[in-house]
Structure formats: C-alpha cells, structure tokens
Amino acid sequence: MIPTLAFTVWFGRVKGLAERILLYNLSLILALLVLVAIFGSTGPGVFFSSRIFLRIGMSVAILGGLAFAQTTVIVSGGLVIAVGSIVGLTTVAAAIAIQVTGKAVIGLAAGL
C-alpha cells in the first residue's frame, strides 16, 4: 500500500509540473502563431519566402549555438555568467586580427 501511495504522490507532482510546463509553452506557441499570422498577412511571398527564412536562420544560428553551450554548462552543474563577456572579447579579437592581417584564418585562430 505504501509504494502505491508514494507513486500517487510522485505522479501528482509530475502531473502538476507537466501541466505548468504545457501552460507556459502553450502561451508561447499561441504568441508565435499570432506573430506568424500577422507577418504572413503582409503579402504573398514576402514573409513566407526562402530568403526571409534564410536570414532568420542566419541571425539565430549564433545565438542558438551560444544558448546550447550555456545550457550544457548549466545542466552539468556549472554556472558561467561571463559567457557574454567572453563572446564579446573573442569577437573583438577575431575582428582586429582579420582587419590587421586581412586573412580570415588568422582571425579564426585569434578568436579560438
């Protein structure tokens, strides 16, 4: 009887957590659908074109990689708050190296 009670309590907590996560994500998905409907109604072939999706993908790629790396660090138990500062310093170092030498390979090496 006690294992059944423990399972019921555990399942109740998990169900409550799942409902809260679904509620938060559902509101985000709804907001995303509203934005897509608004921007999609601008005209045929304006928002739903491959050029726009390519630009969105290119602008999200860097932040997505950074978010993935930061999530990995946080989940593994570490907390690095200075990630933004490190990315900024690396970007400046790479840009200066490219500007001085004119070679992207040297800029990449300076950024690493």
Side-chain angles (χ1 to χ4, degrees), residues 14-37:
V14 170
K15 183 179 176 188
L17 179 64
E19 287 174 353
R20 282 186 290 166
I21 290 173
L22 179 65
L23 179 66
Y24 292 137
N25 288 337
L26 186 62
S27 62
L28 290 175
I29 291 171
L30 181 65
L32 178 65
L33 291 175
V34 168
L35 287 173
V36 167

Side-chain angles (χ1 to χ4, degrees), residues 64-84:
L66 184 62
F68 177 76
Q70 182 67 21
T71 302
T72 305
V73 169
I74 291 172
V75 167
S76 68
L79 181 63
V80 181
I81 299 174
V83 171

